[in-house]
Each structure stands twice: as structure tokens, then as C-alpha cells.
Amino acid sequence: VAGEFELIQRFFTRRVTHTVLSVGDDGALLGPRAGMQLAVSTDMLVSGVHFLPDADPAALGWKALAVNLSDLAAMAAEPRWSLLAIALPEAKESWIEPFAEGFFACADAFGVDLVGGDTTRGPLAIAPTVIGEVPVGSAITRSGAQPGDDVWVSGTPGLAALALAALRGETDLSETARARCLAALEQPQPRVALGLALRGLAHAMIDVSDGLIADLGHIAERSGVSIELADELLPIEILEAATGAPGLARRCLLAGGDDYELAFTSAVDRRECIAGVGARLGVALARIGQVRSGPPAELRVVDRHGQSLPLAGRGYQHFVEE
Amino acid sequence: VAGEFELIQRFFTRRVTHTVLSVGDDGALLGPRAGMQLAVSTDMLVSGVHFLPDADPAALGWKALAVNLSDLAAMAAEPRWSLLAIALPEAKESWIEPFAEGFFACADAFGVDLVGGDTTRGPLAIAPTVIGEVPVGSAITRSGAQPGDDVWVSGTPGLAALALAALRGETDLSETARARCLAALEQPQPRVALGLALRGLAHAMIDVSDGLIADLGHIAERSGVSIELADELLPIEILEAATGAPGLARRCLLAGGDDYELAFTSAVDRRECIAGVGARLGVALARIGQVRSGPPAELRVVDRHGQSLPLAGRGYQHFVEE
């Protein structure tokens, strides 16, 4: 049946630039380049859980793809292709058109061909799958952290959580700060260029989607190491200046999520090189701690005297509490 | 946050046999074999639209993957990998465990590694993505049908629709027929081996998910040809014997969906070869018509005198009418 949902599928059919066969057959055909492995990932966004039902469709379209590309960035893979499965309560063009615009704005920004998908009736849920390429042996995983490594993070994790706090009325932000925080929440920029630039430099990498503590905990667990963050090195200035509430700023930084910055570890003798990457890309990179040999999976934040400080919360909570 | 849904994700973590890096990192890493293109597809199943909310979870797990593998079969691709995004109203082990069992039963049967995915709270929706391999140039698409080709279909399309009719009380079936029809509906067998065997033989291929008429219409449209089916060649005997109602049997055969048989076209001089493939694989293959040069996208069913017969319905309707 060529129903309304098949018609609406047309909004997702665009010219592709590096795909053998795209939308319109039983599946798409891709031709990976020689010497490449494929990195693949899928993250599902559900209305009422990951976003509010009245969320701006254009922002949502961008974000649905961006959070998936962030996973590729965290593996040092180059985004190439995407599929999109989406369930919609109704075939409303006034929603689907801006959603598709937002999705393709992100796809175009990062060189992604949308090659297939499925559109069906149902409670609003968005499930993109992304496929990237990475030269054999060049992927950066969560399990490569080595004792003695520096721990780094890009940008200012916590901006998205601070936006959420402001939306909930828990803090006041200046107009400038509010705009910056909302941009982090609604239009996250996956750190694709940074991920690629860290090939051969970073030992382990993850994107900060669940919160800095929680995500560095994944690296510590998978690498069988402990991680010690130095409180005075944490990039908290922007958050503190925005909210004026130091406790909230710290909670957002350590336990906020949904930012899609990259956290990674690398050898101490690569410090200058890493700093050069940041300068070249115009991305702030903060060296925030060190990898230790044990106990495995432990994560601590210490003051300048080496005393453990209490961790702030356990990680990101979605809009609707799980 | 290591919540209940992250814990439940463990049901989907199994040993892989041909994957560089599986579940547990930002993404999976796959190593396609040299000379291979990738076929990729995603089909989303939503509760209340594609299946009833009380559907058996084990059958649903099988079917969710099977319908996606059917798309790979229709491209003559060998299934290799899958991702699974799933939204669940609650983290109920008594549902998720049999669902995972059914999913992996299908994955194991067809050599598929589940390499990643996402489990989240939300209205029940299941979005697998499948990735297969096909040697460069060997994929079979919808657009290769040539005037003069024979049109073939595997098995008995319509069994699933007949099961649905029986469940709705529209017909009575013997116990044997009912079991056979329900198996077609609940545990479809993607025609993977047939798809692979037709490399180099079929000119165009599609899986019959929307109904024979609708899906052959896709081939006619994409190939710029018309298709003429011979009424007396249609494999209707099993359906007629099952229901005893010739009209219903014909509607199910021509317009029923959800069967996941393969329909394909191939040169007349390959008839014996095709018949041999069917015999070797133990799959019934019926030669049901011919490809004509025009008018493009037209599909007709003719009697033995070449007179057009009325088409029965327009295609498959989901459980819940769209």
C-alpha cells in the first residue's frame, strides 16, 4: 500500500554522493574503501524520554543524527552513511519537513549520505543507524587506557545539563549564557574532526553522553585501570560564570550528560601534540587527570592535596526520569 | 546511569564469530571481506501497528530480525551483522528474555552477529538494522527486469494473510492448515539461500512483504516495464485447499503481505536452471508470468485468453489499519 507514510518517506530521499545504491530498493548498497573497517552504531530517541513531545522538529532532526555521529567520532571513524527508522503518530508534513531539514543539515555538515530507512505510524521514536570508516587498526576504543596516561576532555561538558536546569527553573542564566547552553542541548556538535585528528594519539576515547564521571568510568572499567581527576584542572569557569552557583556548575560538569564532548587518554609525552590539535581545530582541550594502575574501574576526583572529593551524582537523567 | 535498561542490554550480548569489536564500546567494528559491497536495511516494527501488544515475545524476536534479513535476501546479499534499537515500556525480564531467545535463534540460523544496539524506555518499538555482504556487481535490485523475462515467486504467498483472516474469524481452517499459516505469519523464513543461489540468474528481485501485486509493481516501476501474470499459473492450490473460499484465497495470494517470499524475473533460457535451484534448495518456485516492454509500471493478471482480470485489493494492511 502506497500510504501516507510511504509518501512522507520522500522527504528523506535526497541525492547521495558516495553510495552505490540508495533509497528505493530492498536495501542500500555501500562500497567501503579498501583498507577500511566499518564503525557502526545506533541510538534511539523516544518522545517523552529523550526529548519533550513539543520539541522543535528541526532541532530534533539535527540532534537525532548528531548524537549518533558522536559515537563514530569517539571511535575516530569518519561518518559516511546513515539509515533512519522513524515512527510518527501522524503523517504531518508541518512536522516532518523541518525534521528532515534538521537531519539533512547535520548529514551535510558531516558528509553523511542517508541511504535508507523506514517510516511508520506509531508513538514518536527516532532510530538512526550510522556507519563510518576507519583504517584497519586505527579505531580508538574504550579499552586502551594505560596507567600514566593523561586524561583529556574537549569543550565544556555540563552546558547541556545547565540548559536543562534553567528550563526547569532551577537557575537563572544571562541571555548569552542561556543561548550557549541551549545550543549545546539542542544542537550538539559531534566532535568528528577531533576524533579523526586523535588517531594515533589517543589510547582510549568515549563521548560524554551520560556525564563525565559515568563515561570516564566506562573507560576505567573496560581498560582495567583507575582514573584520578584533579579538581583544579576541571574546565568549570564557563559554567560557574553562567550560573553563579558553584555547586550546580560542578554537578553539571561531572554528572551532566547529553553534551557529546570527547573524553580521551593519551601518553604524557604527547601533551604538546594534543594541545596543537586543539589549537589547530579551535577546540578547547582540558587536561583533567591521570590514569592509574588500580584499583580497576575506580574513578576519583581529588583536590590539590590528593584528598578524594565527593562525586556529584551518578550521571545524566533523561527529561523523563527512568 | 547504569539503569535497568542497561542491565537488560546484557540479554543482547552474546559471543560473536566474525566481528572485530562487538557490544560494549561507542560502536562496533566490522571488517568487510575484500571485494564485497555491503547491503544495509532497516525495518521498524511497532506494537499495535505491525503486531498485537500481546504477541508472543519469542515469535516477535524471530520475526523482527527475519523481516529485515528478507530484505538482504532480496538483494542476493549474505547476512552478516545486525544492530537492534528497541524501546520497551518496562524492563520486564519475562518478556525480554524470550524475545532475545527468538531474536538469536534467527541470528544463529542465518549466521548473523548482533554487534550493537540501544535499549530504552518507551512505547514498544523494535528497529533492527541488518548488514550483509555481496560481491561487487552481484547484487540483484528491483530495477533490472527486462522485457521477455519470466516472473517467478517462491513458496505460497498469502499464507500469512490467510492466518490473519482466520485470527479475525473471517474463515475456518483445518488444524494443519492453521498451523502452517500461523507459522508463515509468526515465524517467517527469510529466503536467504534462494537469494544467494539466484546471483547471476535473476535480473530483478524483491521480497513479498506488501503483497505480490504491490511488490511486483515496484519491480515494474523501477525497471520501467510492465508485468503480466497468468492467472492459471498462480500457486493458489494450497490456499484454496486451506480455506475452501476461492475469493479469499485469491485476495490473500495477490494482495496479502507479510510472507517474505521472493519474487524475481529471469531470462526465459534460464528456466531449467531456476527449476534446478528450487529443487536443490527444496523451495517451491512457480513461474507466474512475463515481463513486457510497456506500458511502464503497469501490472496485469490475465486469464488464458489474455483477458485482464480484476486485481484483488491493493496490498497488505497491518493489524491496525493505517
Short mmCIF file of all heavy atoms in Angstrom, two decimals, chain B residues 65-87:
data_model
loop_
_atom_site.label_atom_id
_atom_site.label_comp_id
_atom_site.label_asym_id
_atom_site.label_seq_id
_atom_site.Cartn_x
_atom_site.Cartn_y
_atom_site.Cartn_z
N LEU B 65 13.89 -9.82 13.33
CA LEU B 65 15.13 -9.97 12.55
C LEU B 65 14.83 -10.56 11.18
O LEU B 65 15.40 -10.13 10.17
CB LEU B 65 16.13 -10.84 13.32
CG LEU B 65 17.48 -11.03 12.62
CD1 LEU B 65 18.15 -9.69 12.34
CD2 LEU B 65 18.39 -11.93 13.45
N ALA B 66 13.92 -11.55 11.14
CA ALA B 66 13.66 -12.27 9.89
C ALA B 66 13.19 -11.33 8.77
O ALA B 66 13.62 -11.44 7.62
CB ALA B 66 12.62 -13.37 10.12
N VAL B 67 12.31 -10.38 9.10
CA VAL B 67 11.78 -9.50 8.06
C VAL B 67 12.90 -8.59 7.52
O VAL B 67 12.88 -8.19 6.36
CB VAL B 67 10.59 -8.64 8.54
CG1 VAL B 67 9.48 -9.55 9.07
CG2 VAL B 67 10.98 -7.63 9.58
N ASN B 68 13.86 -8.27 8.36
CA ASN B 68 15.00 -7.48 7.90
C ASN B 68 15.94 -8.32 7.04
O ASN B 68 16.46 -7.84 6.03
CB ASN B 68 15.73 -6.87 9.10
CG ASN B 68 15.09 -5.58 9.59
OD1 ASN B 68 15.33 -4.52 9.02
ND2 ASN B 68 14.26 -5.67 10.61
N LEU B 69 16.17 -9.57 7.44
CA LEU B 69 17.03 -10.45 6.65
C LEU B 69 16.42 -10.71 5.28
O LEU B 69 17.13 -10.92 4.29
CB LEU B 69 17.29 -11.76 7.38
CG LEU B 69 18.05 -11.63 8.71
CD1 LEU B 69 18.31 -13.01 9.31
CD2 LEU B 69 19.35 -10.86 8.53
N SER B 70 15.09 -10.71 5.23
CA SER B 70 14.40 -10.90 3.96
C SER B 70 14.80 -9.82 2.95
O SER B 70 14.92 -10.08 1.75
CB SER B 70 12.89 -10.92 4.19
OG SER B 70 12.20 -11.06 2.97
N ASP B 71 15.00 -8.60 3.44
CA ASP B 71 15.45 -7.51 2.55
C ASP B 71 16.84 -7.80 1.99
O ASP B 71 17.12 -7.50 0.83
CB ASP B 71 15.44 -6.17 3.29
CG ASP B 71 14.04 -5.61 3.43
OD1 ASP B 71 13.26 -5.71 2.47
OD2 ASP B 71 13.73 -5.07 4.50
N LEU B 72 17.71 -8.36 2.82
CA LEU B 72 19.05 -8.72 2.33
C LEU B 72 18.94 -9.86 1.31
O LEU B 72 19.62 -9.84 0.27
CB LEU B 72 19.96 -9.13 3.48
CG LEU B 72 20.26 -8.06 4.53
CD1 LEU B 72 21.28 -8.60 5.54
CD2 LEU B 72 20.77 -6.79 3.88
N ALA B 73 18.09 -10.85 1.62
CA ALA B 73 17.90 -11.97 0.69
C ALA B 73 17.47 -11.46 -0.68
O ALA B 73 17.94 -11.93 -1.72
CB ALA B 73 16.86 -12.94 1.25
N ALA B 74 16.58 -10.46 -0.66
CA ALA B 74 16.05 -9.92 -1.92
C ALA B 74 17.11 -9.19 -2.73
O ALA B 74 16.90 -8.91 -3.91
CB ALA B 74 14.87 -8.99 -1.63
N MET B 75 18.23 -8.87 -2.11
CA MET B 75 19.34 -8.24 -2.84
C MET B 75 20.45 -9.24 -3.14
O MET B 75 21.51 -8.87 -3.62
CB MET B 75 19.91 -7.08 -2.03
CG MET B 75 18.84 -6.07 -1.65
SD MET B 75 19.58 -4.48 -1.21
CE MET B 75 20.03 -3.86 -2.83
N ALA B 76 20.21 -10.51 -2.80
CA ALA B 76 21.22 -11.56 -3.00
C ALA B 76 22.45 -11.33 -2.13
O ALA B 76 23.56 -11.70 -2.50
CB ALA B 76 21.62 -11.69 -4.48
N ALA B 77 22.23 -10.71 -0.97
CA ALA B 77 23.33 -10.46 -0.04
C ALA B 77 23.34 -11.50 1.07
O ALA B 77 22.30 -12.03 1.45
CB ALA B 77 23.20 -9.06 0.56
N GLU B 78 24.52 -11.79 1.56
CA GLU B 78 24.69 -12.76 2.64
C GLU B 78 24.60 -12.01 3.97
O GLU B 78 25.42 -11.13 4.24
CB GLU B 78 26.06 -13.43 2.50
CG GLU B 78 26.33 -14.47 3.56
CD GLU B 78 27.76 -15.02 3.46
OE1 GLU B 78 28.46 -14.70 2.46
OE2 GLU B 78 28.18 -15.73 4.38
N PRO B 79 23.64 -12.34 4.85
CA PRO B 79 23.52 -11.63 6.13
C PRO B 79 24.78 -11.84 6.97
O PRO B 79 25.30 -12.96 7.03
CB PRO B 79 22.32 -12.31 6.79
CG PRO B 79 21.56 -12.96 5.69
CD PRO B 79 22.58 -13.35 4.67
N ARG B 80 25.26 -10.77 7.61
CA ARG B 80 26.48 -10.86 8.40
C ARG B 80 26.33 -10.25 9.79
O ARG B 80 26.76 -10.81 10.77
CB ARG B 80 27.63 -10.17 7.68
CG ARG B 80 27.98 -10.81 6.35
CD ARG B 80 28.87 -12.02 6.50
NE ARG B 80 30.23 -11.62 6.80
CZ ARG B 80 31.17 -12.46 7.25
NH1 ARG B 80 30.88 -13.73 7.45
NH2 ARG B 80 32.39 -12.04 7.49
N TRP B 81 25.74 -9.06 9.85
CA TRP B 81 25.70 -8.34 11.12
C TRP B 81 24.32 -7.71 11.34
O TRP B 81 23.59 -7.43 10.39
CB TRP B 81 26.75 -7.21 11.13
CG TRP B 81 28.15 -7.69 10.95
CD1 TRP B 81 28.93 -8.28 11.90
CD2 TRP B 81 28.96 -7.59 9.76
NE1 TRP B 81 30.18 -8.56 11.37
CE2 TRP B 81 30.22 -8.14 10.07
CE3 TRP B 81 28.74 -7.08 8.48
CZ2 TRP B 81 31.26 -8.21 9.14
CZ3 TRP B 81 29.77 -7.15 7.55
CH2 TRP B 81 31.01 -7.71 7.89
N SER B 82 24.01 -7.44 12.61
CA SER B 82 22.79 -6.73 12.94
C SER B 82 23.01 -5.81 14.13
O SER B 82 23.86 -6.07 14.98
CB SER B 82 21.67 -7.72 13.28
OG SER B 82 20.53 -7.04 13.73
N LEU B 83 22.29 -4.71 14.15
CA LEU B 83 22.16 -3.88 15.35
C LEU B 83 20.68 -3.90 15.73
O LEU B 83 19.83 -4.18 14.88
CB LEU B 83 22.60 -2.43 15.10
CG LEU B 83 24.06 -2.24 14.72
CD1 LEU B 83 24.19 -2.12 13.22
CD2 LEU B 83 24.65 -1.01 15.39
N LEU B 84 20.38 -3.60 16.99
CA LEU B 84 19.00 -3.65 17.44
C LEU B 84 18.71 -2.48 18.36
O LEU B 84 19.24 -2.41 19.47
CB LEU B 84 18.73 -4.97 18.18
CG LEU B 84 17.35 -5.10 18.83
CD1 LEU B 84 16.25 -5.04 17.78
CD2 LEU B 84 17.26 -6.39 19.65
N ALA B 85 17.87 -1.55 17.90
CA ALA B 85 17.36 -0.49 18.76
C ALA B 85 15.96 -0.90 19.19
O ALA B 85 15.15 -1.29 18.36
CB ALA B 85 17.32 0.84 18.02
N ILE B 86 15.71 -0.85 20.50
CA ILE B 86 14.41 -1.30 20.98
C ILE B 86 13.95 -0.41 22.13
O ILE B 86 14.72 -0.07 23.01
CB ILE B 86 14.47 -2.80 21.40
CG1 ILE B 86 13.13 -3.30 21.90
CG2 ILE B 86 15.56 -3.07 22.41
CD1 ILE B 86 13.07 -4.81 22.03
N ALA B 87 12.69 0.01 22.06
CA ALA B 87 12.07 0.77 23.14
C ALA B 87 11.06 -0.14 23.82
O ALA B 87 10.26 -0.80 23.15
CB ALA B 87 11.38 2.02 22.60
#
